[in-house]
Amino acid sequence: MSVPRAVVIGVGNEYRRDDGIGAAVVRHIEKLGLPEVQVALCDGEPTGLLDLWAGAELAVVVDAVLCEPSTPGRIWRTTVDALRGLTRATSSHALGIPDALPLGRILGRLPAELVVIAVEAEHLDLGVGLSGPVAAALPDVVATVLAELARLGIMPVDTR
């Protein structure tokens, strides 16, 4: 299989409420059938991320974050380095995107560009379904991902 120009990775667990935002976004993007775009789900495990984004021109990763104080549903477009600097926001996973970078650099398995779309979570307890604020943010999160892809000239076909 050839390397896609772009990959959209939803990180998270659909059975932990708002941690399912990545999966929800991936389902929406997948329905668009965008050429040159691979969509995938990942639990955030670093080697899984490396396998998905290696060699891509652009990797867009969508993940839930815990913030203190929190504004559930708020969307952050950021880079991994910027996320590391935020002491009040962390991924909802023990290991994840920031942990994959050093290994990816050593192994030469990084995308040319990595963008993180982080969504502030309200609930990460067991259960299915996004909280109200995170569900309401879903269309904006999808639009943010599509804007990143549009920078590469990748856009959905208007089916009106």
Side-chain angles (χ1 to χ4, degrees):
M1 180 179 166
S2 65
V3 176
R5 285 189 68 208
V7 60
V8 176
I9 304 169
V11 175
N13 180 340
E14 291 183 90
Y15 299 103
R16 292 199 50 211
R17 305 278 311 215
D18 290 340
D19 200 32
I21 187 68
V25 170
V26 162
R27 279 193 298 273
H28 283 306
I29 300 296
E30 191 169 39
K31 288 178 188 174
L32 298 174
L34 299 171
E36 304 179 285
V37 176
Q38 175 186 345
V39 294
L41 295 173
C42 183
D43 62 5
E45 196 276 321
T47 58
L49 289 167
L50 296 181
D51 289 342
L52 292 169
W53 70 33
E57 191 174 331
L58 171 66
V60 180
V61 179
V62 180
D63 195 7
V65 292
L66 299 171
C67 294
E68 215 33 64
S70 180
T71 304
R74 182 171 28 186
I75 302 164
W76 299 75
R77 184 235 183 247
T78 189
T79 63
V80 174
D81 291 336
L83 270 180
R84 270 193 196 276
L86 290 176
T87 56
R88 48 183 243 277
T90 59
S91 171
S92 58
H93 315 284
L95 293 174
I97 304 160
D99 304 294
L101 288 179
L103 182 59
R105 281 187 190 102
I106 291 168
L107 298 175
R109 298 187 58 79
L110 291 177
E113 182 182 4
L114 174 61
V115 173
V116 178
I117 308 299
V119 182
E120 290 188 35
E122 182 173 54
H123 297 292
L124 295 174
D125 50 335
L126 293 177
V128 285
L130 302 173
S131 66
V134 173
L138 181 59
D140 291 333
V141 179
V142 170
T144 301
V145 171
L146 291 174
E148 294 298 327
L149 297 173
R151 290 189 302 110
L152 297 182
I154 300 171
M155 293 183 252
V157 175
D158 188 358
T159 56
R160 284 186 273 166

